[in-house]
Amino acid sequence: SSRARTRRKQGGADMPARVLENYHQAPPDGMNSLHVDFRAGRRTEIDARNGVIVRLGKKHGVPTPYNEMALHLVSLRSPSK
């Protein structure tokens, strides 16, 4: 299927497990860069991280509801340009 081909191109079927493993290996006091930006009152990189996924999903007809929600919610809290 088209989605399966896209997934293979984007890191393989085991990518979710690898991402979770990386999170589990992170230091317990580590912070996500979005969180660091929020705390410092800076604009976040949400568009580069999730916005591109939303745009590519629309281009290829793939729904991205979680990324759309993350983009919207984080954008509401981010300082203006």
Side-chain angles (χ1 to χ4, degrees):
S1 81
S2 175
R3 285 186 181 176
R5 283 190 301 275
T6 300
R7 185 174 221 180
R8 281 192 298 273
K9 288 179 186 177
Q10 294 175 346
D14 67 333
M15 181 178 260
R18 289 182 303 167
V19 169
L20 287 175
E21 181 60 29
N22 284 339
Y23 278 119
H24 290 153
Q25 292 179 7
D29 60 345
M31 277 198 280
N32 178 289
S33 61
L34 287 172
H35 188 189
V36 172
D37 289 340
F38 267 138
R39 289 183 62 161
R42 294 187 297 257
R43 288 187 63 222
T44 67
E45 72 273 17
I46 191 70
D47 188 62
R49 292 175 65 168
N50 297 80
V52 69
I53 294 170
V54 171
R55 289 189 296 278
L56 287 171
K58 287 181 181 180
K59 178 180 177 183
H60 296 286
V62 177
T64 58
Y66 298 113
N67 285 286
E68 288 180 31
M69 180 175 52
L71 179 63
H72 176 71
L73 293 174
V74 172
S75 295
L76 287 174
R77 299 274 325 258
S78 293
S80 299
K81 295 180 180 181

